[in-house]
DNA sequence: GCCAACGTTGGC
DNA sequence: GCCAACGTTGGC
């Protein structure tokens, strides 16, 4: 069972600086069953990379941790909200998510281009063609390698 | 339960 | 803005 993860977010919507400011946040709005299932596997204290997507350049910018295990995603019940799901109910919630907390911001971003150049990372879903999961597992080896890179000033 | 159409993701 | 990839939807 993976104990490390990667969380994608568009920084215009919610960035590492937003997480640093707020301390914790509900990782709501994920509407993909595979990503939901991964969040249900997460345990309190699990660490994850914080990844900025849909900007130039995209990349890993820091570390967050699971501060609450999976619970129903509150945004699915907000009527007319962006993430409202009329097919879900409080009695039988469809979407689940964790809460994440700020751990650290790396002194530099590790851009996807740099990750792609490392053969040991070739099997990361992030770098694989067509893999668009917004929540992904990260192996222990990948984790250690990327943390080392990120902490290089 | 097949599968075409459609919508979304996300790097480039 | 383009477009490949792929998940979801809905007609049949």
């Amino acid at each position: 069972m993976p104990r490390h993860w990667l969380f994608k977010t568009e920084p215009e919507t919610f960035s590492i600086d937003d997480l640093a400011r707020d301390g914790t946040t509900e990782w709501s709005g994920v509407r993909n069953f595979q990503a939901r299932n991964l969040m249900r596997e997460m345990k309190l204290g699990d660490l994850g990379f914080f990844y900025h997507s849909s900007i130039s350049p995209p990349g890993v910018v820091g570390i967050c941790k699971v501060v609450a295990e999976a619970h129903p995603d509150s945004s699915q019940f907000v009527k007319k909200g962006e993430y409202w799901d009329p097919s879900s109910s409080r009695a039988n919630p469809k979407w689940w998510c964790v809460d994440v907390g700020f751990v650290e911001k790396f002194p530099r971003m590790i851009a996807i281009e740099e990750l792609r150049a490392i053969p040991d990372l070739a099997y990361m879903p992030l770098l694989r063609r067509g893999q668009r999961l917004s929540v992904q597992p990260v192996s222990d080896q990948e984790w250690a390698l990327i943390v080392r890179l990120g902490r290089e000033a």
Side-chain angles (χ1 to χ4, degrees), chain A residues 3-39:
Chain A
R3 282 283 77 86
H4 297 109
W5 312 95
L6 180 143
F7 295 85
K8 280 189 202 170
T9 174
E10 300 187 14
E12 280 194 15
T13 306
F14 192 81
S15 71
I16 187 92
D17 293 325
D18 293 326
L19 183 61
R21 180 197 62 216
D22 296 349
T24 67
T25 194
E26 182 186 16
W27 207 254
S28 60
V30 173
R31 294 295 179 267
N32 171 284
F33 289 109
Q34 215 180 328
R36 179 203 68 179
N37 294 343
L38 288 171
M39 285 200 279

PDB file of all heavy atoms in Angstrom, chain A residues 3-39:
ATOM      1  N   ARG A   3       2.336   4.840   0.666  1.00  0.00           N
ATOM      2  CA  ARG A   3       2.212   5.758   1.789  1.00  0.00           C
ATOM      3  C   ARG A   3       2.574   7.186   1.392  1.00  0.00           C
ATOM      4  O   ARG A   3       2.581   8.079   2.199  1.00  0.00           O
ATOM      5  CB  ARG A   3       3.118   5.324   2.959  1.00  0.00           C
ATOM      6  CG  ARG A   3       2.580   4.185   3.790  1.00  0.00           C
ATOM      7  CD  ARG A   3       1.487   4.667   4.750  1.00  0.00           C
ATOM      8  NE  ARG A   3       0.218   4.878   4.062  1.00  0.00           N
ATOM      9  CZ  ARG A   3      -0.700   3.929   3.833  1.00  0.00           C
ATOM     10  NH1 ARG A   3      -0.516   2.723   4.236  1.00  0.00           N
ATOM     11  NH2 ARG A   3      -1.821   4.218   3.215  1.00  0.00           N
ATOM     12  N   HIS A   4       2.924   7.328   0.123  1.00  0.00           N
ATOM     13  CA  HIS A   4       3.221   8.669  -0.376  1.00  0.00           C
ATOM     14  C   HIS A   4       2.360   8.954  -1.584  1.00  0.00           C
ATOM     15  O   HIS A   4       2.003   8.046  -2.344  1.00  0.00           O
ATOM     16  CB  HIS A   4       4.703   8.791  -0.746  1.00  0.00           C
ATOM     17  CG  HIS A   4       5.613   8.624   0.429  1.00  0.00           C
ATOM     18  ND1 HIS A   4       6.410   7.517   0.609  1.00  0.00           N
ATOM     19  CD2 HIS A   4       5.847   9.423   1.490  1.00  0.00           C
ATOM     20  CE1 HIS A   4       7.092   7.646   1.735  1.00  0.00           C
ATOM     21  NE2 HIS A   4       6.769   8.783   2.287  1.00  0.00           N
ATOM     22  N   TRP A   5       2.052  10.234  -1.786  1.00  0.00           N
ATOM     23  CA  TRP A   5       1.056  10.626  -2.764  1.00  0.00           C
ATOM     24  C   TRP A   5       1.489  11.873  -3.499  1.00  0.00           C
ATOM     25  O   TRP A   5       2.487  12.498  -3.135  1.00  0.00           O
ATOM     26  CB  TRP A   5      -0.282  10.883  -2.047  1.00  0.00           C
ATOM     27  CG  TRP A   5      -0.649   9.787  -1.116  1.00  0.00           C
ATOM     28  CD1 TRP A   5      -0.400   9.749   0.234  1.00  0.00           C
ATOM     29  CD2 TRP A   5      -1.271   8.541  -1.437  1.00  0.00           C
ATOM     30  NE1 TRP A   5      -0.847   8.569   0.754  1.00  0.00           N
ATOM     31  CE2 TRP A   5      -1.388   7.806  -0.240  1.00  0.00           C
ATOM     32  CE3 TRP A   5      -1.754   7.991  -2.628  1.00  0.00           C
ATOM     33  CZ2 TRP A   5      -1.961   6.534  -0.198  1.00  0.00           C
ATOM     34  CZ3 TRP A   5      -2.332   6.731  -2.583  1.00  0.00           C
ATOM     35  CH2 TRP A   5      -2.429   6.018  -1.381  1.00  0.00           C
ATOM     36  N   LEU A   6       0.707  12.200  -4.507  1.00  0.00           N
ATOM     37  CA  LEU A   6       0.926  13.464  -5.199  1.00  0.00           C
ATOM     38  C   LEU A   6      -0.443  14.103  -5.434  1.00  0.00           C
ATOM     39  O   LEU A   6      -1.371  13.429  -5.879  1.00  0.00           O
ATOM     40  CB  LEU A   6       1.652  13.221  -6.527  1.00  0.00           C
ATOM     41  CG  LEU A   6       1.954  14.465  -7.377  1.00  0.00           C
ATOM     42  CD1 LEU A   6       3.308  14.327  -8.070  1.00  0.00           C
ATOM     43  CD2 LEU A   6       0.864  14.705  -8.428  1.00  0.00           C
ATOM     44  N   PHE A   7      -0.550  15.373  -5.060  1.00  0.00           N
ATOM     45  CA  PHE A   7      -1.799  16.122  -5.206  1.00  0.00           C
ATOM     46  C   PHE A   7      -1.597  17.220  -6.242  1.00  0.00           C
ATOM     47  O   PHE A   7      -0.745  18.091  -6.071  1.00  0.00           O
ATOM     48  CB  PHE A   7      -2.196  16.780  -3.878  1.00  0.00           C
ATOM     49  CG  PHE A   7      -2.532  15.806  -2.781  1.00  0.00           C
ATOM     50  CD1 PHE A   7      -1.526  15.266  -1.979  1.00  0.00           C
ATOM     51  CD2 PHE A   7      -3.849  15.450  -2.535  1.00  0.00           C
ATOM     52  CE1 PHE A   7      -1.836  14.373  -0.945  1.00  0.00           C
ATOM     53  CE2 PHE A   7      -4.167  14.560  -1.510  1.00  0.00           C
ATOM     54  CZ  PHE A   7      -3.169  14.017  -0.718  1.00  0.00           C
ATOM     55  N   LYS A   8      -2.407  17.160  -7.295  1.00  0.00           N
ATOM     56  CA  LYS A   8      -2.325  18.200  -8.324  1.00  0.00           C
ATOM     57  C   LYS A   8      -3.300  19.319  -8.013  1.00  0.00           C
ATOM     58  O   LYS A   8      -4.433  19.068  -7.599  1.00  0.00           O
ATOM     59  CB  LYS A   8      -2.749  17.633  -9.678  1.00  0.00           C
ATOM     60  CG  LYS A   8      -1.711  16.841 -10.407  1.00  0.00           C
ATOM     61  CD  LYS A   8      -2.255  16.564 -11.804  1.00  0.00           C
ATOM     62  CE  LYS A   8      -1.571  15.373 -12.424  1.00  0.00           C
ATOM     63  NZ  LYS A   8      -2.256  14.956 -13.656  1.00  0.00           N
ATOM     64  N   THR A   9      -2.873  20.519  -8.283  1.00  0.00           N
ATOM     65  CA  THR A   9      -3.782  21.661  -8.156  1.00  0.00           C
ATOM     66  C   THR A   9      -3.343  22.762  -9.103  1.00  0.00           C
ATOM     67  O   THR A   9      -2.150  22.899  -9.401  1.00  0.00           O
ATOM     68  CB  THR A   9      -3.796  22.190  -6.708  1.00  0.00           C
ATOM     69  OG1 THR A   9      -4.582  23.376  -6.633  1.00  0.00           O
ATOM     70  CG2 THR A   9      -2.391  22.497  -6.217  1.00  0.00           C
ATOM     71  N   GLU A  10      -4.326  23.507  -9.578  1.00  0.00           N
ATOM     72  CA  GLU A  10      -3.988  24.673 -10.375  1.00  0.00           C
ATOM     73  C   GLU A  10      -3.740  25.818  -9.398  1.00  0.00           C
ATOM     74  O   GLU A  10      -4.628  26.183  -8.638  1.00  0.00           O
ATOM     75  CB  GLU A  10      -5.134  25.018 -11.328  1.00  0.00           C
ATOM     76  CG  GLU A  10      -5.430  23.880 -12.279  1.00  0.00           C
ATOM     77  CD  GLU A  10      -6.455  24.245 -13.340  1.00  0.00           C
ATOM     78  OE1 GLU A  10      -6.745  25.451 -13.502  1.00  0.00           O
ATOM     79  OE2 GLU A  10      -6.960  23.322 -14.009  1.00  0.00           O
ATOM     80  N   PRO A  11      -2.525  26.378  -9.423  1.00  0.00           N
ATOM     81  CA  PRO A  11      -2.182  27.388  -8.414  1.00  0.00           C
ATOM     82  C   PRO A  11      -3.081  28.622  -8.463  1.00  0.00           C
ATOM     83  O   PRO A  11      -3.236  29.300  -7.453  1.00  0.00           O
ATOM     84  CB  PRO A  11      -0.723  27.732  -8.730  1.00  0.00           C
ATOM     85  CG  PRO A  11      -0.473  27.221 -10.099  1.00  0.00           C
ATOM     86  CD  PRO A  11      -1.414  26.076 -10.315  1.00  0.00           C
ATOM     87  N   GLU A  12      -3.682  28.892  -9.620  1.00  0.00           N
ATOM     88  CA  GLU A  12      -4.617  30.025  -9.685  1.00  0.00           C
ATOM     89  C   GLU A  12      -5.839  29.756  -8.817  1.00  0.00           C
ATOM     90  O   GLU A  12      -6.488  30.690  -8.345  1.00  0.00           O
ATOM     91  CB  GLU A  12      -5.067  30.268 -11.134  1.00  0.00           C
ATOM     92  CG  GLU A  12      -4.049  31.044 -11.938  1.00  0.00           C
ATOM     93  CD  GLU A  12      -4.632  31.562 -13.248  1.00  0.00           C
ATOM     94  OE1 GLU A  12      -5.867  31.561 -13.404  1.00  0.00           O
ATOM     95  OE2 GLU A  12      -3.827  31.950 -14.112  1.00  0.00           O
ATOM     96  N   THR A  13      -6.154  28.474  -8.641  1.00  0.00           N
ATOM     97  CA  THR A  13      -7.296  28.106  -7.810  1.00  0.00           C
ATOM     98  C   THR A  13      -6.871  27.926  -6.361  1.00  0.00           C
ATOM     99  O   THR A  13      -7.500  28.461  -5.446  1.00  0.00           O
ATOM    100  CB  THR A  13      -7.910  26.791  -8.327  1.00  0.00           C
ATOM    101  OG1 THR A  13      -8.212  26.945  -9.715  1.00  0.00           O
ATOM    102  CG2 THR A  13      -9.174  26.437  -7.561  1.00  0.00           C
ATOM    103  N   PHE A  14      -5.786  27.171  -6.157  1.00  0.00           N
ATOM    104  CA  PHE A  14      -5.290  26.938  -4.793  1.00  0.00           C
ATOM    105  C   PHE A  14      -3.825  26.548  -4.862  1.00  0.00           C
ATOM    106  O   PHE A  14      -3.499  25.457  -5.343  1.00  0.00           O
ATOM    107  CB  PHE A  14      -6.122  25.852  -4.100  1.00  0.00           C
ATOM    108  CG  PHE A  14      -5.855  25.765  -2.622  1.00  0.00           C
ATOM    109  CD1 PHE A  14      -6.473  26.648  -1.741  1.00  0.00           C
ATOM    110  CD2 PHE A  14      -4.969  24.825  -2.114  1.00  0.00           C
ATOM    111  CE1 PHE A  14      -6.222  26.587  -0.364  1.00  0.00           C
ATOM    112  CE2 PHE A  14      -4.714  24.755  -0.746  1.00  0.00           C
ATOM    113  CZ  PHE A  14      -5.342  25.635   0.128  1.00  0.00           C
ATOM    114  N   SER A  15      -2.956  27.402  -4.361  1.00  0.00           N
ATOM    115  CA  SER A  15      -1.507  27.189  -4.491  1.00  0.00           C
ATOM    116  C   SER A  15      -0.897  26.746  -3.165  1.00  0.00           C
ATOM    117  O   SER A  15      -1.561  26.757  -2.126  1.00  0.00           O
ATOM    118  CB  SER A  15      -0.842  28.497  -4.930  1.00  0.00           C
ATOM    119  OG  SER A  15      -0.887  29.416  -3.853  1.00  0.00           O
ATOM    120  N   ILE A  16       0.377  26.402  -3.221  1.00  0.00           N
ATOM    121  CA  ILE A  16       1.111  26.039  -1.995  1.00  0.00           C
ATOM    122  C   ILE A  16       1.126  27.209  -1.014  1.00  0.00           C
ATOM    123  O   ILE A  16       1.085  27.014   0.200  1.00  0.00           O
ATOM    124  CB  ILE A  16       2.554  25.571  -2.336  1.00  0.00           C
ATOM    125  CG1 ILE A  16       3.292  25.032  -1.099  1.00  0.00           C
ATOM    126  CG2 ILE A  16       3.379  26.680  -2.965  1.00  0.00           C
ATOM    127  CD1 ILE A  16       3.176  23.578  -0.869  1.00  0.00           C
ATOM    128  N   ASP A  17       1.158  28.425  -1.530  1.00  0.00           N
ATOM    129  CA  ASP A  17       1.128  29.589  -0.640  1.00  0.00           C
ATOM    130  C   ASP A  17      -0.235  29.731   0.040  1.00  0.00           C
ATOM    131  O   ASP A  17      -0.325  30.162   1.191  1.00  0.00           O
ATOM    132  CB  ASP A  17       1.480  30.862  -1.415  1.00  0.00           C
ATOM    133  CG  ASP A  17       2.932  30.847  -1.890  1.00  0.00           C
ATOM    134  OD1 ASP A  17       3.790  30.309  -1.154  1.00  0.00           O
ATOM    135  OD2 ASP A  17       3.217  31.359  -2.986  1.00  0.00           O
ATOM    136  N   ASP A  18      -1.281  29.365  -0.687  1.00  0.00           N
ATOM    137  CA  ASP A  18      -2.620  29.371  -0.069  1.00  0.00           C
ATOM    138  C   ASP A  18      -2.675  28.353   1.067  1.00  0.00           C
ATOM    139  O   ASP A  18      -3.238  28.615   2.126  1.00  0.00           O
ATOM    140  CB  ASP A  18      -3.699  29.047  -1.111  1.00  0.00           C
ATOM    141  CG  ASP A  18      -3.837  30.133  -2.171  1.00  0.00           C
ATOM    142  OD1 ASP A  18      -3.642  31.316  -1.826  1.00  0.00           O
ATOM    143  OD2 ASP A  18      -4.122  29.793  -3.331  1.00  0.00           O
ATOM    144  N   LEU A  19      -2.064  27.177   0.831  1.00  0.00           N
ATOM    145  CA  LEU A  19      -2.068  26.142   1.876  1.00  0.00           C
ATOM    146  C   LEU A  19      -1.227  26.583   3.079  1.00  0.00           C
ATOM    147  O   LEU A  19      -1.610  26.362   4.225  1.00  0.00           O
ATOM    148  CB  LEU A  19      -1.547  24.812   1.324  1.00  0.00           C
ATOM    149  CG  LEU A  19      -1.585  23.639   2.309  1.00  0.00           C
ATOM    150  CD1 LEU A  19      -3.019  23.336   2.751  1.00  0.00           C
ATOM    151  CD2 LEU A  19      -0.949  22.386   1.704  1.00  0.00           C
ATOM    152  N   ALA A  20      -0.088  27.229   2.793  1.00  0.00           N
ATOM    153  CA  ALA A  20       0.765  27.719   3.877  1.00  0.00           C
ATOM    154  C   ALA A  20      -0.006  28.743   4.722  1.00  0.00           C
ATOM    155  O   ALA A  20       0.095  28.752   5.948  1.00  0.00           O
ATOM    156  CB  ALA A  20       2.032  28.342   3.304  1.00  0.00           C
ATOM    157  N   ARG A  21      -0.777  29.570   4.071  1.00  0.00           N
ATOM    158  CA  ARG A  21      -1.561  30.608   4.761  1.00  0.00           C
ATOM    159  C   ARG A  21      -2.685  29.994   5.590  1.00  0.00           C
ATOM    160  O   ARG A  21      -2.909  30.356   6.735  1.00  0.00           O
ATOM    161  CB  ARG A  21      -2.142  31.573   3.712  1.00  0.00           C
ATOM    162  CG  ARG A  21      -2.985  32.718   4.279  1.00  0.00           C
ATOM    163  CD  ARG A  21      -3.838  33.349   3.186  1.00  0.00           C
ATOM    164  NE  ARG A  21      -4.778  32.377   2.646  1.00  0.00           N
ATOM    165  CZ  ARG A  21      -5.141  32.317   1.363  1.00  0.00           C
ATOM    166  NH1 ARG A  21      -4.632  33.146   0.480  1.00  0.00           N
ATOM    167  NH2 ARG A  21      -6.011  31.406   0.968  1.00  0.00           N
ATOM    168  N   ASP A  22      -3.402  29.024   4.963  1.00  0.00           N
ATOM    169  CA  ASP A  22      -4.585  28.452   5.626  1.00  0.00           C
ATOM    170  C   ASP A  22      -4.230  27.346   6.620  1.00  0.00           C
ATOM    171  O   ASP A  22      -5.031  27.044   7.500  1.00  0.00           O
ATOM    172  CB  ASP A  22      -5.543  27.872   4.572  1.00  0.00           C
ATOM    173  CG  ASP A  22      -6.095  28.957   3.637  1.00  0.00           C
ATOM    174  OD1 ASP A  22      -5.896  30.155   3.933  1.00  0.00           O
ATOM    175  OD2 ASP A  22      -6.721  28.601   2.623  1.00  0.00           O
ATOM    176  N   GLY A  23      -3.077  26.714   6.442  1.00  0.00           N
ATOM    177  CA  GLY A  23      -2.680  25.629   7.338  1.00  0.00           C
ATOM    178  C   GLY A  23      -3.200  24.281   6.894  1.00  0.00           C
ATOM    179  O   GLY A  23      -2.420  23.351   6.681  1.00  0.00           O
ATOM    180  N   THR A  24      -4.528  24.178   6.734  1.00  0.00           N
ATOM    181  CA  THR A  24      -5.122  22.929   6.242  1.00  0.00           C
ATOM    182  C   THR A  24      -6.242  23.271   5.267  1.00  0.00           C
ATOM    183  O   THR A  24      -6.754  24.394   5.252  1.00  0.00           O
ATOM    184  CB  THR A  24      -5.721  22.071   7.373  1.00  0.00           C
ATOM    185  OG1 THR A  24      -6.841  22.752   7.916  1.00  0.00           O
ATOM    186  CG2 THR A  24      -4.705  21.794   8.467  1.00  0.00           C
ATOM    187  N   THR A  25      -6.632  22.270   4.486  1.00  0.00           N
ATOM    188  CA  THR A  25      -7.750  22.468   3.579  1.00  0.00           C
ATOM    189  C   THR A  25      -8.413  21.137   3.257  1.00  0.00           C
ATOM    190  O   THR A  25      -7.758  20.090   3.305  1.00  0.00           O
ATOM    191  CB  THR A  25      -7.294  23.157   2.264  1.00  0.00           C
ATOM    192  OG1 THR A  25      -8.434  23.629   1.550  1.00  0.00           O
ATOM    193  CG2 THR A  25      -6.530  22.192   1.371  1.00  0.00           C
ATOM    194  N   GLU A  26      -9.688  21.188   2.964  1.00  0.00           N
ATOM    195  CA  GLU A  26     -10.403  20.000   2.489  1.00  0.00           C
ATOM    196  C   GLU A  26     -10.081  19.841   1.008  1.00  0.00           C
ATOM    197  O   GLU A  26     -10.251  20.774   0.232  1.00  0.00           O
ATOM    198  CB  GLU A  26     -11.921  20.184   2.685  1.00  0.00           C
ATOM    199  CG  GLU A  26     -12.732  18.960   2.263  1.00  0.00           C
ATOM    200  CD  GLU A  26     -14.240  19.191   2.322  1.00  0.00           C
ATOM    201  OE1 GLU A  26     -14.677  20.357   2.386  1.00  0.00           O
ATOM    202  OE2 GLU A  26     -14.978  18.186   2.302  1.00  0.00           O
ATOM    203  N   TRP A  27      -9.587  18.647   0.610  1.00  0.00           N
ATOM    204  CA  TRP A  27      -9.215  18.431  -0.790  1.00  0.00           C
ATOM    205  C   TRP A  27     -10.469  18.095  -1.597  1.00  0.00           C
ATOM    206  O   TRP A  27     -10.595  17.024  -2.197  1.00  0.00           O
ATOM    207  CB  TRP A  27      -8.152  17.341  -0.917  1.00  0.00           C
ATOM    208  CG  TRP A  27      -7.322  17.543  -2.138  1.00  0.00           C
ATOM    209  CD1 TRP A  27      -7.369  16.816  -3.295  1.00  0.00           C
ATOM    210  CD2 TRP A  27      -6.354  18.575  -2.346  1.00  0.00           C
ATOM    211  NE1 TRP A  27      -6.498  17.345  -4.215  1.00  0.00           N
ATOM    212  CE2 TRP A  27      -5.866  18.421  -3.655  1.00  0.00           C
ATOM    213  CE3 TRP A  27      -5.872  19.632  -1.559  1.00  0.00           C
ATOM    214  CZ2 TRP A  27      -4.901  19.276  -4.198  1.00  0.00           C
ATOM    215  CZ3 TRP A  27      -4.911  20.477  -2.100  1.00  0.00           C
ATOM    216  CH2 TRP A  27      -4.441  20.293  -3.397  1.00  0.00           C
ATOM    217  N   SER A  28     -11.382  19.017  -1.635  1.00  0.00           N
ATOM    218  CA  SER A  28     -12.693  18.760  -2.241  1.00  0.00           C
ATOM    219  C   SER A  28     -12.669  19.015  -3.738  1.00  0.00           C
ATOM    220  O   SER A  28     -11.747  19.616  -4.267  1.00  0.00           O
ATOM    221  CB  SER A  28     -13.740  19.646  -1.570  1.00  0.00           C
ATOM    222  OG  SER A  28     -13.392  21.003  -1.743  1.00  0.00           O
ATOM    223  N   GLY A  29     -13.680  18.530  -4.402  1.00  0.00           N
ATOM    224  CA  GLY A  29     -13.846  18.819  -5.823  1.00  0.00           C
ATOM    225  C   GLY A  29     -13.303  17.747  -6.751  1.00  0.00           C
ATOM    226  O   GLY A  29     -13.454  17.866  -7.966  1.00  0.00           O
ATOM    227  N   VAL A  30     -12.698  16.706  -6.207  1.00  0.00           N
ATOM    228  CA  VAL A  30     -12.197  15.627  -7.070  1.00  0.00           C
ATOM    229  C   VAL A  30     -13.384  14.779  -7.514  1.00  0.00           C
ATOM    230  O   VAL A  30     -14.120  14.243  -6.688  1.00  0.00           O
ATOM    231  CB  VAL A  30     -11.155  14.767  -6.323  1.00  0.00           C
ATOM    232  CG1 VAL A  30     -10.766  13.558  -7.155  1.00  0.00           C
ATOM    233  CG2 VAL A  30      -9.933  15.598  -5.974  1.00  0.00           C
ATOM    234  N   ARG A  31     -13.563  14.674  -8.836  1.00  0.00           N
ATOM    235  CA  ARG A  31     -14.721  13.965  -9.377  1.00  0.00           C
ATOM    236  C   ARG A  31     -14.278  12.871 -10.337  1.00  0.00           C
ATOM    237  O   ARG A  31     -14.663  12.802 -11.494  1.00  0.00           O
ATOM    238  CB  ARG A  31     -15.660  14.956 -10.101  1.00  0.00           C
ATOM    239  CG  ARG A  31     -16.308  15.981  -9.177  1.00  0.00           C
ATOM    240  CD  ARG A  31     -17.247  15.338  -8.178  1.00  0.00           C
ATOM    241  NE  ARG A  31     -17.860  16.316  -7.270  1.00  0.00           N
ATOM    242  CZ  ARG A  31     -17.354  16.629  -6.084  1.00  0.00           C
ATOM    243  NH1 ARG A  31     -16.225  16.085  -5.665  1.00  0.00           N
ATOM    244  NH2 ARG A  31     -17.969  17.485  -5.294  1.00  0.00           N
ATOM    245  N   ASN A  32     -13.418  12.022  -9.817  1.00  0.00           N
ATOM    246  CA  ASN A  32     -12.895  10.900 -10.584  1.00  0.00           C
ATOM    247  C   ASN A  32     -12.812   9.734  -9.609  1.00  0.00           C
ATOM    248  O   ASN A  32     -12.273   9.881  -8.514  1.00  0.00           O
ATOM    249  CB  ASN A  32     -11.519  11.281 -11.145  1.00  0.00           C
ATOM    250  CG  ASN A  32     -10.808  10.099 -11.778  1.00  0.00           C
ATOM    251  OD1 ASN A  32     -10.281   9.241 -11.075  1.00  0.00           O
ATOM    252  ND2 ASN A  32     -10.784  10.053 -13.096  1.00  0.00           N
ATOM    253  N   PHE A  33     -13.389   8.596 -10.009  1.00  0.00           N
ATOM    254  CA  PHE A  33     -13.517   7.488  -9.068  1.00  0.00           C
ATOM    255  C   PHE A  33     -12.168   6.931  -8.631  1.00  0.00           C
ATOM    256  O   PHE A  33     -11.981   6.555  -7.483  1.00  0.00           O
ATOM    257  CB  PHE A  33     -14.380   6.374  -9.660  1.00  0.00           C
ATOM    258  CG  PHE A  33     -15.823   6.749  -9.761  1.00  0.00           C
ATOM    259  CD1 PHE A  33     -16.419   6.993 -10.994  1.00  0.00           C
ATOM    260  CD2 PHE A  33     -16.601   6.885  -8.618  1.00  0.00           C
ATOM    261  CE1 PHE A  33     -17.759   7.349 -11.082  1.00  0.00           C
ATOM    262  CE2 PHE A  33     -17.941   7.238  -8.687  1.00  0.00           C
ATOM    263  CZ  PHE A  33     -18.519   7.478  -9.923  1.00  0.00           C
ATOM    264  N   GLN A  34     -11.230   6.867  -9.555  1.00  0.00           N
ATOM    265  CA  GLN A  34      -9.913   6.323  -9.222  1.00  0.00           C
ATOM    266  C   GLN A  34      -9.208   7.215  -8.185  1.00  0.00           C
ATOM    267  O   GLN A  34      -8.619   6.721  -7.227  1.00  0.00           O
ATOM    268  CB  GLN A  34      -9.080   6.222 -10.494  1.00  0.00           C
ATOM    269  CG  GLN A  34      -8.163   5.021 -10.521  1.00  0.00           C
ATOM    270  CD  GLN A  34      -7.356   4.975 -11.812  1.00  0.00           C
ATOM    271  OE1 GLN A  34      -7.823   5.411 -12.868  1.00  0.00           O
ATOM    272  NE2 GLN A  34      -6.151   4.461 -11.731  1.00  0.00           N
ATOM    273  N   ALA A  35      -9.303   8.515  -8.401  1.00  0.00           N
ATOM    274  CA  ALA A  35      -8.687   9.459  -7.462  1.00  0.00           C
ATOM    275  C   ALA A  35      -9.400   9.382  -6.111  1.00  0.00           C
ATOM    276  O   ALA A  35      -8.762   9.414  -5.052  1.00  0.00           O
ATOM    277  CB  ALA A  35      -8.743  10.874  -8.025  1.00  0.00           C
ATOM    278  N   ARG A  36     -10.715   9.258  -6.145  1.00  0.00           N
ATOM    279  CA  ARG A  36     -11.475   9.124  -4.907  1.00  0.00           C
ATOM    280  C   ARG A  36     -11.025   7.878  -4.140  1.00  0.00           C
ATOM    281  O   ARG A  36     -10.813   7.915  -2.928  1.00  0.00           O
ATOM    282  CB  ARG A  36     -12.969   9.000  -5.216  1.00  0.00           C
ATOM    283  CG  ARG A  36     -13.816   8.835  -3.961  1.00  0.00           C
ATOM    284  CD  ARG A  36     -15.146   8.186  -4.249  1.00  0.00           C
ATOM    285  NE  ARG A  36     -15.007   6.789  -4.644  1.00  0.00           N
ATOM    286  CZ  ARG A  36     -16.034   5.994  -4.926  1.00  0.00           C
ATOM    287  NH1 ARG A  36     -17.264   6.474  -4.887  1.00  0.00           N
ATOM    288  NH2 ARG A  36     -15.843   4.751  -5.271  1.00  0.00           N
ATOM    289  N   ASN A  37     -10.886   6.772  -4.864  1.00  0.00           N
ATOM    290  CA  ASN A  37     -10.488   5.525  -4.214  1.00  0.00           C
ATOM    291  C   ASN A  37      -9.104   5.635  -3.592  1.00  0.00           C
ATOM    292  O   ASN A  37      -8.854   5.082  -2.518  1.00  0.00           O
ATOM    293  CB  ASN A  37     -10.550   4.369  -5.209  1.00  0.00           C
ATOM    294  CG  ASN A  37     -11.983   4.083  -5.657  1.00  0.00           C
ATOM    295  OD1 ASN A  37     -12.934   4.517  -5.003  1.00  0.00           O
ATOM    296  ND2 ASN A  37     -12.126   3.376  -6.766  1.00  0.00           N
ATOM    297  N   LEU A  38      -8.195   6.341  -4.258  1.00  0.00           N
ATOM    298  CA  LEU A  38      -6.867   6.544  -3.683  1.00  0.00           C
ATOM    299  C   LEU A  38      -6.959   7.344  -2.386  1.00  0.00           C
ATOM    300  O   LEU A  38      -6.287   7.034  -1.406  1.00  0.00           O
ATOM    301  CB  LEU A  38      -5.954   7.253  -4.682  1.00  0.00           C
ATOM    302  CG  LEU A  38      -5.497   6.396  -5.872  1.00  0.00           C
ATOM    303  CD1 LEU A  38      -4.784   7.267  -6.902  1.00  0.00           C
ATOM    304  CD2 LEU A  38      -4.579   5.268  -5.411  1.00  0.00           C
ATOM    305  N   MET A  39      -7.827   8.352  -2.378  1.00  0.00           N
ATOM    306  CA  MET A  39      -7.953   9.156  -1.150  1.00  0.00           C
ATOM    307  C   MET A  39      -8.512   8.324   0.001  1.00  0.00           C
ATOM    308  O   MET A  39      -8.180   8.551   1.155  1.00  0.00           O
ATOM    309  CB  MET A  39      -8.798  10.405  -1.409  1.00  0.00           C
ATOM    310  CG  MET A  39      -8.017  11.448  -2.189  1.00  0.00           C
ATOM    311  SD  MET A  39      -8.688  13.118  -2.054  1.00  0.00           S
ATOM    312  CE  MET A  39     -10.019  13.024  -3.247  1.00  0.00           C
TER     313      MET A  39
END
